[in-house]
Structure formats: C-alpha cells, structure tokens
Amino acid sequence: MKIPLAMPVFDEEMKNAAVDALQNEKFVMGESVFKFEEEFARYCGVKHAVSTSSGTFALQFALQALHVNSKDEVVTTPFSFIATANSVYWAGATPVFADIDNKTYNINPNEAKQKVTSETKAILPVHLYGYPSDLDAAAELTEDGKHIMIEDCCQAHGAKYRGRKVGSFGSVGCFSFYPVKNMTVGGDGGMAVTNDEEVAKRIGRLRDCGRISHYEHDLIGLTARLNTVNAAIGRVQLRKLEEWNQKRRNIAQMYDKLLNDVNGLELPPSESREILPVYHLYVVKTNRRNELKAHLEGEGIQCGIHYPIPIHLQPIYRQLYGFREGDFPKSELASNQVLSLPMYPEMEEEAVKQVSHSIHDFFTPNT
Ligand SMILES: Cc1ncc(COP(=O)(O)O)c(C=O)c1O
C-alpha cells in the first residue's frame, strides 16, 4: 500500500527510553510504571491512574472495582470494538445494548434511557473514533446515585468535552495503548483513571494478582500489569500526544475541506465549542462503501472498516444472548456504510490530497 491506514511512531527517544528501562529498572513494576501513571493522571486532570496490560483489562477491572457483578446490567453501545462488551461479560454482568446516534456513531442517550431497568448498575459510553459521547446525557442517568458511569476512552486520548478531558467524567475512564491508537506503549497496554482513591487501589490489586502485599491476596486478581519497558515508551509518547492530536485535527480539516462537495459521502461530525475530537479515525459514510473501498485500495490507499459486524451480531453474542438482525438498525446500517480513511499524525498534505482526489474520481469519474 502506498498510503497506509495508520502509522504508529517509534523514534530514537522511545528506543533509548526502552533500553534504559530494561537495563536499569525491574522488568515488572519498575519506576517507569509509576511515573507513567502519575503523568497520565495529570494529563487527564484526575487524581489517579492505574496501568494495565490492555484496555480490555482496564475496563473489566473498573467494572469489578465498582462492584458490578452477575446481578447487574450495563448499558452500552453495540457499535464498538467487541472488547467494550466483553469487559462487561468478564466482570460477570450482562451487556445491554442501546442503538447509536446516526451522526456521531455514539450511543443515543434516548435509546440508553429506555434500556435502564431496576437491574442496571452502570452506563458505559464509548467515545468512538475519538469523538466524545454525549456526557451530559450520560451523567443525567447517574444523577439518581443508583447508577455509575464508566467511560470507554480507548479511542479518545486527549479528547475534550466542554473543555475537560474525557475519562474525567465517569467514575472511571479507560484507555488502550494498542499500537494504532493515538498513543501507544510499543505493544499492548491500558490505563484506568479515576478520582476515587479506593477504586484506584482496587484496580491496582486486581491487575496484580489481587495482592495487598507480596505474599497476601484479598481479591481474585489477574496478572495484567503493564511492563516497565512499555511504560517507559508510553511516557515518551504521552509527551507528544497533544502535538499528534493537533496534527490529526489538521488532517481532518483538510479532508473536510477537500471532500465536503462530494455527493453521496457523509463526513464525520466536526469540532464545536463543546467538543474537541482527536480523530483516532477519520470515518466517512456512503451506501457504496464496499465499491469505494475496492477503488481506493486499487490505487494503493489502505482503508479500514470499524466495524463491519456490530457486537450484537457477532456469532458469540448471538449465541449467548439471542441477538438477531434488526435488533439495532442504526448500528447495522453504520456497519454497512462506514469507511475509515488513512489518518496518522505524520500524514503528508500530498497524501491527504491524493486520497481526496481518488474519492472524487470514484464519485464523479468524468470530471
Ligand atoms: C472502543 C474500544 N474499547 C476497548 C478496546 C480494548 O482495548 P485493548 O485492545 O487494549 O484491550 C479498544 C481497542 O482496540 C477499543 O477501540
């Protein structure tokens, strides 16, 4: 492919940080882990951050630390990466889906409200593609004190809602550092952020075999810590995140300008006074999605589909919960129409133009 969909950054500074950590720190729970946690908490504007070996574990431990259990339902979106719902399953609770908003692809607050029952313990909005979910509406659902909110920020490092970073609104916010995310740790990794010290401590024990001291365990935990070498790389990446996010927004603006006159193509929701997105992905929508994808790929432009199968229609979710086609029509339509275009901080202006020209050629071949 001439133009890739995504391109994680790994530079000399990260390499040096990794080697330094391997040579001078403990491989597990070294100093870099705690420094990374402190710096990430400060970045999000919260008191505590606890690292994990993946975003999925951050979500699962957040639910468990907030005492979500097998009697509980968690309302979330079926239009996300499957890990969102899997974390609910692994916490022992039942995922209850609410359909999405057509424009933002995030959970529709009215649909979510209708799914709240006496069994509902938590709402789990996802800031899909780096575009913040309606957090005012989600917060309304938690006002009664009976429900909690956990934010899935795995695609939204640094995004802001009404001037505040996502992750700081819910009881816990969860992040992933999988390589193609807005920042990575040079492998898998995750982080849970919270203002609640007790919850932070419980997540810290859950990721570390349930330990309260080296030989004593008071929870059934897992071995799901972030490696020291990954934390060292994460610290360097975090320092560059703001600059990278701004570059992503600049690229999105270029796409917006170059593509806004294409008939038959819907562009992503844009920035507003309330919402500062971070464009983890730049996603367009068209009812000719598969043809457009083939056309772009034929010209060496890599595209992605996030996600071609909504979670409720994944074989395991059909089998476990009996979901069928038609259960969440907006998510199903989106999964047939969305297309992710190349987006990464170091993407050259020429490449953005090339993708845009190729899209114009597809929709209006004779101009
Ligand atoms: C929305 C969403 N939730 C959860 C996850 C899970 O994160 P991880 O892959 O680090 O376990 C991801 C990552 O791919 C994601 O995009």
Side-chain angles (χ1 to χ4, degrees), residues 119-247:
E119 316 298 313
T120 307
K121 177 75 174 265
I123 167 139
L124 176 45
V126 178
H127 308 302
L128 200 72
Y129 309 147
Y131 193 88
S133 203
D134 184 339
L135 288 166
D136 284 345
E140 256 175 51
L141 292 176
T142 65
E143 262 167 13
D144 57 6
K146 288 192 206 132
H147 305 111
I148 48 176
M149 189 211 319
I150 293 160
E151 292 172 72
D152 182 336
C153 312
C154 287
Q155 300 188 1
H157 317 62
K160 285 185 181 169
Y161 184 83
R162 296 197 192 283
R164 245 168 77 194
K165 299 253 171 67
V166 299
S168 65
F169 290 80
S171 298
V172 183
C174 301
F175 295 82
S176 163
F177 301 123
Y178 180 75
V180 295
K181 303 297 187 197
N182 289 39
M183 65 167 284
T184 181
V185 292
D188 277 312
M191 191 77 83
V193 303
T194 179
N195 282 313
D196 187 324
E197 191 181 352
E198 276 316 302
V199 169
K201 282 185 178 160
R202 269 202 296 281
I203 296 172
R205 303 211 296 285
L206 284 163
R207 60 121 192 237
D208 188 25
C209 315
R211 277 202 174 91
I212 36 171
S213 66
H214 192 70
Y215 292 115
E216 216 179 342
H217 307 252
D218 73 342
L219 290 170
I220 302 289
L222 285 158
T223 304
R225 300 167 295 241
L226 184 70
N227 288 316
T228 304
V229 60
N230 295 113
I233 295 168
R235 291 185 68 203
V236 181
Q237 292 248 339
L238 180 60
R239 290 200 284 274
K240 301 178 191 259
L241 178 62
E242 281 294 292
E243 180 195 325
W244 288 341
N245 281 345
Q246 190 51 50
K247 285 184 173 174

Side-chain angles (χ1 to χ4, degrees), residues 19 109 234 281 286 325 336 341 349:
V19 173
L281 294 165
T286 166
E325 270 93 1
N336 288 324
L341 303 182
E349 190 172 338

